[in-house]
Amino acid sequence: MQTRPYPSKSGRRLWLSRVEQQWLLECVDEDYPRRRIALDLALTGLRSDEVRNVELRHFERLDGTEDKWRLTIPDGKTGTRSTPVARDLRERVKYLKSAARLRADEPIIDVSTRSLRDWIGEAREELAADLDDERWHDLGMHDLRRTWATDTFYSLAFEGVPIAEELTMAWGGWAMTDSGRETFRRNYLGPVPDHVTSRAMNHLKTF
């Protein structure tokens, strides 16, 4: 976990490592499948309002692939956008829809933003206690979107994708303007993730 203080208010911004992301998801995995999906969607870059309105019909297989999917967010803050999603997440959504007997046009999560805050609040307190790490107390839903943005950008950049920032902003729904780019860089883009640093160290002879 990496943290930075907010520039103008108390508390800390958090960026979870991939291992910590998995701990968070596993914390609610078995007993609360709807919570697991909600947190997983936030770790896919969705805002809380977007998480609440995801429907199964919004998932679509990428052309020419068998196991790669995208999720369309029709009413995002900056309009309609699509973002890549893991096949496992789509399968969880499909299973929950069937188990709950929802129509294809019914939201999978369909709870208030207060409920989302309560869900992540319960998970963070459990992890803080189990891991004896007080930093978890600062974790909020927006830190999951922040984690996704940073992980996605640095992963693409390390692979040499020339439009890493443009892709991350497009998938995450930041406006392609000077102010949108400033918001992305100042409020979301954080420290280099550990897994990227580890891979980069393989190229340094001293390590």
Side-chain angles (χ1 to χ4, degrees):
M1 182 185 299
Q2 302 196 62
T3 72
R4 296 290 187 274
Y6 283 101
S8 59
K9 65 178 183 179
S10 61
R12 292 175 289 188
R13 295 172 291 173
L14 274 58
W15 291 266
L16 302 183
S17 69
R18 289 187 171 179
V19 171
E20 290 163 337
Q21 293 174 46
Q22 195 59 38
W23 288 345
L24 177 65
L25 296 177
E26 290 174 354
C27 188
V28 297
D29 191 13
E30 296 299 330
D31 296 329
Y32 303 104
R34 194 180 302 268
R35 297 189 187 191
R36 157 77 188 234
I37 291 172
L39 297 183
D40 212 345
L41 287 168
L43 284 168
T44 306
L46 273 66
R47 301 175 177 92
S48 291
D49 280 344
E50 296 167 347
V51 167
R52 297 170 53 238
N53 292 300
V54 168
E55 302 169 12
L56 179 61
R57 60 178 179 164
H58 294 157
F59 292 83
E60 182 181 15
R61 196 189 308 271
L62 293 179
D63 286 347
T65 70
E66 294 184 0
D67 60 353
K68 291 184 173 60
W69 295 80
R70 65 170 163 246
L71 169 64
T72 296
I73 298 96
D75 298 308
K77 187 175 180 180
T78 55
T80 299
R81 74 178 192 277
S82 295
T83 190
V85 293
R87 178 178 179 272
D88 176 69
L89 174 56
R90 189 263 177 186
E91 290 301 310
R92 287 177 180 272
V93 169
K94 181 180 179 182
Y95 178 82
L96 180 59
K97 172 196 169 291
S98 177
R101 298 182 179 179
L102 300 173
R103 300 191 311 271
D105 61 348
E106 285 187 274
I108 295 296
I109 306 302
D110 196 23
V111 298
S112 67
T113 53
R114 174 66 178 272
S115 292
L116 294 179
R117 289 195 297 269
D118 289 344
W119 290 354
I120 197 170
E122 291 180 22
R124 74 179 175 228
E125 296 309 309
E126 181 176 335
L127 287 166
D130 290 347
L131 301 172
D132 193 23
D133 187 343
E134 65 176 14
R135 295 177 300 174
W136 284 98
H137 292 304
D138 287 314
L139 184 69
M141 287 294 291
H142 223 59
D143 290 308
L144 306 189
R145 175 170 161 82
R146 188 175 285 120
T147 292
W148 171 86
T150 296
D151 195 299
T152 299
F153 169 76
Y154 282 110
S155 296
L156 292 173
F158 188 81
E159 293 297 333
V161 177
I163 55 171
E165 185 174 63
E166 288 81 357
L167 282 175
T168 306
M169 290 179 63
W171 291 339
W174 285 278
M176 293 293 184
T177 61
D178 289 343
S179 61
R181 184 169 285 105
E182 182 180 3
T183 296
F184 171 73
R185 293 177 178 177
R186 176 173 296 182
N187 298 325
Y188 295 89
L189 190 59
V192 179
D194 287 351
H195 72 91
V196 174
T197 298
S198 178
R199 291 169 60 198
M201 288 173 66
N202 294 330
H203 296 271
L204 301 175
K205 294 181 180 180
T206 54
F207 293 98

